[in-house]
Amino acid sequence: MTWSNVPGGPPQPTPPGSGDPQRAAWERGGTTLFPPAKLADRISTVLLLAFGAVMTIVTAVVGIIAVISATATCDASAGCSPGAYIGGTAIAVGGAFVIGVATVVLAIGAWIRRRSSWWIAAVGFVLAIAVITWGGVVFAGAADAGTASSSSGTTA
């Protein structure tokens, strides 16, 4: 009910374009975020978002364990710095988290506008894998640099 359409009041004129069949179809489908015609799109989007979230959580756990184990034997006399280990893990976990949040926001925005959203989740998933790989490369580079400096210092 609006102020211009009070029950018992005079009948209001129909707005222009109210007889448009496309608008009527949109209003009928506007009662739910999960219309039957888009069920496969919603399911694939939710699954991709869930896989991305699980991947981010697993990356966080593995990253924490890797940083702890790599920095346990790291000392300044060996030329080792834990900053690159922590940086690689932060790139992987933080980047995947930020991409995941942005993907969820964009997918929900597409749902509200009644658009297809599976491709948004797929692009987000691929970007999360790329960021996790980039963080892993930074971490591995730090591990290689730490191994090279410790092995070069033990020559007689």
Side-chain angles (χ1 to χ4, degrees):
M1 176 169 69
T2 62
W3 288 105
S4 64
N5 191 13
V6 178
Q12 299 294 321
T14 58
S18 63
D20 184 18
Q22 184 179 12
R23 179 173 173 84
W26 184 84
E27 287 174 352
R28 276 193 310 273
T31 59
T32 179
L33 283 177
F34 297 99
K38 301 233 181 214
L39 193 59
D41 176 65
R42 302 300 191 252
I43 290 172
S44 60
T45 301
V46 169
L47 286 176
L48 283 166
L49 292 173
F51 290 152
V54 169
M55 184 175 59
T56 302
I57 292 168
V58 168
T59 301
V61 170
V62 168
I64 290 170
I65 292 170
V67 166
I68 290 172
S69 66
T71 58
T73 59
C74 186
D75 60 348
S77 65
C80 175
S81 173
Y85 296 122
I86 295 170
T89 303
I91 289 170
V93 176
F97 179 77
V98 168
I99 288 171
V101 169
T103 303
V104 167
V105 168
L106 291 173
I108 290 174
W111 288 355
I112 291 171
R113 290 187 319 267
R114 310 283 187 273
R115 305 278 187 218
S116 178
S117 59
W118 69 269
W119 65 271
I120 297 170
V123 168
F125 187 76
V126 170
L127 286 175
I129 290 173
V131 166
I132 290 170
T133 303
W134 178 32
V137 168
V138 170
F139 189 93
D144 288 344
T147 305
S149 65
S150 66
S151 64
S152 64
T154 57
T155 56

mmCIF file of all heavy atoms in Angstrom, residues 52-83:
data_model
loop_
_atom_site.group_PDB
_atom_site.id
_atom_site.type_symbol
_atom_site.label_atom_id
_atom_site.label_comp_id
_atom_site.label_asym_id
_atom_site.label_seq_id
_atom_site.Cartn_x
_atom_site.Cartn_y
_atom_site.Cartn_z
ATOM 1 N N GLY A 52 35.818 -22.098 -3.196
ATOM 2 C CA GLY A 52 36.775 -21.013 -2.972
ATOM 3 C C GLY A 52 36.994 -20.742 -1.496
ATOM 4 O O GLY A 52 38.119 -20.495 -1.051
ATOM 5 N N ALA A 53 35.921 -20.788 -0.709
ATOM 6 C CA ALA A 53 36.048 -20.568 0.730
ATOM 7 C C ALA A 53 36.839 -21.690 1.397
ATOM 8 O O ALA A 53 37.726 -21.430 2.234
ATOM 9 C CB ALA A 53 34.661 -20.450 1.368
ATOM 10 N N VAL A 54 36.554 -22.926 1.020
ATOM 11 C CA VAL A 54 37.306 -24.064 1.580
ATOM 12 C C VAL A 54 38.771 -23.979 1.175
ATOM 13 O O VAL A 54 39.669 -24.221 1.995
ATOM 14 C CB VAL A 54 36.661 -25.401 1.132
ATOM 15 C CG1 VAL A 54 37.567 -26.580 1.457
ATOM 16 C CG2 VAL A 54 35.306 -25.567 1.787
ATOM 17 N N MET A 55 39.023 -23.619 -0.072
ATOM 18 C CA MET A 55 40.402 -23.484 -0.545
ATOM 19 C C MET A 55 41.144 -22.399 0.244
ATOM 20 O O MET A 55 42.312 -22.571 0.604
ATOM 21 C CB MET A 55 40.401 -23.156 -2.037
ATOM 22 C CG MET A 55 41.769 -23.074 -2.659
ATOM 23 S SD MET A 55 41.703 -22.842 -4.440
ATOM 24 C CE MET A 55 40.806 -21.318 -4.587
ATOM 25 N N THR A 56 40.483 -21.300 0.552
ATOM 26 C CA THR A 56 41.105 -20.226 1.319
ATOM 27 C C THR A 56 41.400 -20.687 2.743
ATOM 28 O O THR A 56 42.471 -20.397 3.288
ATOM 29 C CB THR A 56 40.197 -18.987 1.336
ATOM 30 O OG1 THR A 56 39.961 -18.590 -0.016
ATOM 31 C CG2 THR A 56 40.830 -17.844 2.090
ATOM 32 N N ILE A 57 40.488 -21.416 3.356
ATOM 33 C CA ILE A 57 40.702 -21.914 4.719
ATOM 34 C C ILE A 57 41.851 -22.906 4.752
ATOM 35 O O ILE A 57 42.717 -22.847 5.636
ATOM 36 C CB ILE A 57 39.401 -22.536 5.270
ATOM 37 C CG1 ILE A 57 38.360 -21.436 5.493
ATOM 38 C CG2 ILE A 57 39.658 -23.305 6.550
ATOM 39 C CD1 ILE A 57 36.962 -21.954 5.767
ATOM 40 N N VAL A 58 41.894 -23.818 3.786
ATOM 41 C CA VAL A 58 42.991 -24.797 3.728
ATOM 42 C C VAL A 58 44.325 -24.076 3.498
ATOM 43 O O VAL A 58 45.345 -24.419 4.123
ATOM 44 C CB VAL A 58 42.721 -25.852 2.628
ATOM 45 C CG1 VAL A 58 43.949 -26.687 2.342
ATOM 46 C CG2 VAL A 58 41.551 -26.728 3.027
ATOM 47 N N THR A 59 44.325 -23.066 2.640
ATOM 48 C CA THR A 59 45.544 -22.296 2.401
ATOM 49 C C THR A 59 46.007 -21.593 3.671
ATOM 50 O O THR A 59 47.203 -21.534 3.949
ATOM 51 C CB THR A 59 45.308 -21.262 1.278
ATOM 52 O OG1 THR A 59 44.907 -21.958 0.100
ATOM 53 C CG2 THR A 59 46.550 -20.457 0.990
ATOM 54 N N ALA A 60 45.078 -21.070 4.446
ATOM 55 C CA ALA A 60 45.438 -20.401 5.698
ATOM 56 C C ALA A 60 46.070 -21.379 6.678
ATOM 57 O O ALA A 60 47.110 -21.073 7.288
ATOM 58 C CB ALA A 60 44.211 -19.743 6.319
ATOM 59 N N VAL A 61 45.484 -22.553 6.820
ATOM 60 C CA VAL A 61 46.033 -23.553 7.750
ATOM 61 C C VAL A 61 47.414 -24.016 7.294
ATOM 62 O O VAL A 61 48.367 -24.072 8.079
ATOM 63 C CB VAL A 61 45.050 -24.740 7.892
ATOM 64 C CG1 VAL A 61 45.688 -25.891 8.657
ATOM 65 C CG2 VAL A 61 43.774 -24.283 8.572
ATOM 66 N N VAL A 62 47.532 -24.348 6.009
ATOM 67 C CA VAL A 62 48.823 -24.797 5.480
ATOM 68 C C VAL A 62 49.856 -23.673 5.576
ATOM 69 O O VAL A 62 51.020 -23.911 5.915
ATOM 70 C CB VAL A 62 48.665 -25.290 4.018
ATOM 71 C CG1 VAL A 62 50.009 -25.495 3.351
ATOM 72 C CG2 VAL A 62 47.855 -26.567 3.986
ATOM 73 N N GLY A 63 49.444 -22.442 5.298
ATOM 74 C CA GLY A 63 50.361 -21.306 5.384
ATOM 75 C C GLY A 63 50.877 -21.077 6.793
ATOM 76 O O GLY A 63 52.066 -20.808 6.994
ATOM 77 N N ILE A 64 49.999 -21.176 7.776
ATOM 78 C CA ILE A 64 50.426 -20.993 9.167
ATOM 79 C C ILE A 64 51.415 -22.081 9.566
ATOM 80 O O ILE A 64 52.461 -21.807 10.177
ATOM 81 C CB ILE A 64 49.205 -20.972 10.104
ATOM 82 C CG1 ILE A 64 48.407 -19.683 9.891
ATOM 83 C CG2 ILE A 64 49.616 -21.109 11.561
ATOM 84 C CD1 ILE A 64 47.060 -19.662 10.575
ATOM 85 N N ILE A 65 51.114 -23.318 9.215
ATOM 86 C CA ILE A 65 52.021 -24.423 9.547
ATOM 87 C C ILE A 65 53.354 -24.256 8.826
ATOM 88 O O ILE A 65 54.423 -24.473 9.407
ATOM 89 C CB ILE A 65 51.359 -25.776 9.204
ATOM 90 C CG1 ILE A 65 50.180 -26.011 10.146
ATOM 91 C CG2 ILE A 65 52.362 -26.918 9.290
ATOM 92 C CD1 ILE A 65 49.306 -27.183 9.762
ATOM 93 N N ALA A 66 53.318 -23.843 7.560
ATOM 94 C CA ALA A 66 54.554 -23.661 6.791
ATOM 95 C C ALA A 66 55.398 -22.533 7.356
ATOM 96 O O ALA A 66 56.628 -22.653 7.447
ATOM 97 C CB ALA A 66 54.228 -23.397 5.327
ATOM 98 N N VAL A 67 54.778 -21.430 7.742
ATOM 99 C CA VAL A 67 55.538 -20.314 8.322
ATOM 100 C C VAL A 67 56.155 -20.734 9.647
ATOM 101 O O VAL A 67 57.335 -20.434 9.915
ATOM 102 C CB VAL A 67 54.633 -19.067 8.502
ATOM 103 C CG1 VAL A 67 55.296 -18.033 9.398
ATOM 104 C CG2 VAL A 67 54.313 -18.457 7.159
ATOM 105 N N ILE A 68 55.423 -21.442 10.474
ATOM 106 C CA ILE A 68 55.964 -21.887 11.769
ATOM 107 C C ILE A 68 57.135 -22.824 11.559
ATOM 108 O O ILE A 68 58.187 -22.688 12.208
ATOM 109 C CB ILE A 68 54.855 -22.548 12.612
ATOM 110 C CG1 ILE A 68 53.850 -21.490 13.069
ATOM 111 C CG2 ILE A 68 55.441 -23.284 13.808
ATOM 112 C CD1 ILE A 68 52.619 -22.051 13.729
ATOM 113 N N SER A 69 56.998 -23.783 10.651
ATOM 114 C CA SER A 69 58.084 -24.739 10.449
ATOM 115 C C SER A 69 59.287 -24.101 9.754
ATOM 116 O O SER A 69 60.434 -24.465 10.031
ATOM 117 C CB SER A 69 57.595 -25.950 9.658
ATOM 118 O OG SER A 69 57.249 -25.575 8.352
ATOM 119 N N ALA A 70 59.051 -23.146 8.857
ATOM 120 C CA ALA A 70 60.170 -22.518 8.148
ATOM 121 C C ALA A 70 60.928 -21.549 9.035
ATOM 122 O O ALA A 70 62.152 -21.416 8.913
ATOM 123 C CB ALA A 70 59.657 -21.789 6.912
ATOM 124 N N THR A 71 60.233 -20.871 9.923
ATOM 125 C CA THR A 71 60.903 -19.887 10.772
ATOM 126 C C THR A 71 61.426 -20.480 12.061
ATOM 127 O O THR A 71 62.100 -19.788 12.820
ATOM 128 C CB THR A 71 59.948 -18.717 11.097
ATOM 129 O OG1 THR A 71 58.780 -19.234 11.740
ATOM 130 C CG2 THR A 71 59.572 -17.964 9.836
ATOM 131 N N ALA A 72 61.165 -21.754 12.325
ATOM 132 C CA ALA A 72 61.666 -22.386 13.549
ATOM 133 C C ALA A 72 63.187 -22.455 13.545
ATOM 134 O O ALA A 72 63.830 -22.301 14.591
ATOM 135 C CB ALA A 72 61.067 -23.776 13.711
ATOM 136 N N THR A 73 63.780 -22.683 12.397
ATOM 137 C CA THR A 73 65.236 -22.780 12.299
ATOM 138 C C THR A 73 65.843 -21.540 11.662
ATOM 139 O O THR A 73 67.001 -21.543 11.271
ATOM 140 C CB THR A 73 65.621 -24.015 11.461
ATOM 141 O OG1 THR A 73 65.036 -23.885 10.166
ATOM 142 C CG2 THR A 73 65.137 -25.290 12.129
ATOM 143 N N CYS A 74 65.054 -20.500 11.524
ATOM 144 C CA CYS A 74 65.506 -19.286 10.855
ATOM 145 C C CYS A 74 66.144 -18.348 11.881
ATOM 146 O O CYS A 74 65.521 -17.992 12.871
ATOM 147 C CB CYS A 74 64.294 -18.616 10.201
ATOM 148 S SG CYS A 74 64.701 -17.209 9.189
ATOM 149 N N ASP A 75 67.399 -17.973 11.623
ATOM 150 C CA ASP A 75 68.049 -16.996 12.497
ATOM 151 C C ASP A 75 68.854 -16.014 11.657
ATOM 152 O O ASP A 75 69.188 -16.272 10.512
ATOM 153 C CB ASP A 75 68.918 -17.675 13.561
ATOM 154 C CG ASP A 75 70.021 -18.533 12.972
ATOM 155 O OD1 ASP A 75 69.985 -18.790 11.757
ATOM 156 O OD2 ASP A 75 70.917 -18.941 13.729
ATOM 157 N N ALA A 76 69.157 -14.885 12.245
ATOM 158 C CA ALA A 76 69.838 -13.814 11.516
ATOM 159 C C ALA A 76 71.264 -14.194 11.154
ATOM 160 O O ALA A 76 71.795 -13.729 10.142
ATOM 161 C CB ALA A 76 69.820 -12.539 12.338
ATOM 162 N N SER A 77 71.926 -15.020 11.950
ATOM 163 C CA SER A 77 73.308 -15.396 11.647
ATOM 164 C C SER A 77 73.404 -16.230 10.369
ATOM 165 O O SER A 77 74.429 -16.211 9.695
ATOM 166 C CB SER A 77 73.913 -16.161 12.828
ATOM 167 O OG SER A 77 73.226 -17.389 13.013
ATOM 168 N N ALA A 78 72.340 -16.944 10.039
ATOM 169 C CA ALA A 78 72.312 -17.738 8.805
ATOM 170 C C ALA A 78 71.848 -16.896 7.620
ATOM 171 O O ALA A 78 71.778 -17.382 6.497
ATOM 172 C CB ALA A 78 71.417 -18.949 8.975
ATOM 173 N N GLY A 79 71.514 -15.646 7.858
ATOM 174 C CA GLY A 79 71.042 -14.778 6.787
ATOM 175 C C GLY A 79 69.586 -15.014 6.426
ATOM 176 O O GLY A 79 69.152 -14.683 5.335
ATOM 177 N N CYS A 80 68.838 -15.566 7.340
ATOM 178 C CA CYS A 80 67.430 -15.893 7.086
ATOM 179 C C CYS A 80 66.542 -14.811 7.695
ATOM 180 O O CYS A 80 66.796 -14.331 8.793
ATOM 181 C CB CYS A 80 67.114 -17.245 7.717
ATOM 182 S SG CYS A 80 65.404 -17.713 7.604
ATOM 183 N N SER A 81 65.534 -14.452 6.965
ATOM 184 C CA SER A 81 64.568 -13.469 7.443
ATOM 185 C C SER A 81 63.165 -14.042 7.262
ATOM 186 O O SER A 81 62.813 -14.482 6.169
ATOM 187 C CB SER A 81 64.707 -12.166 6.652
ATOM 188 O OG SER A 81 63.690 -11.287 7.000
ATOM 189 N N PRO A 82 62.356 -14.027 8.313
ATOM 190 C CA PRO A 82 61.010 -14.600 8.189
ATOM 191 C C PRO A 82 60.036 -13.726 7.404
ATOM 192 O O PRO A 82 58.934 -14.146 7.105
ATOM 193 C CB PRO A 82 60.548 -14.743 9.638
ATOM 194 C CG PRO A 82 61.313 -13.720 10.390
ATOM 195 C CD PRO A 82 62.643 -13.613 9.687
ATOM 196 N N GLY A 83 60.439 -12.533 7.038
ATOM 197 C CA GLY A 83 59.539 -11.619 6.344
ATOM 198 C C GLY A 83 59.028 -12.154 5.024
ATOM 199 O O GLY A 83 57.849 -11.980 4.682
#
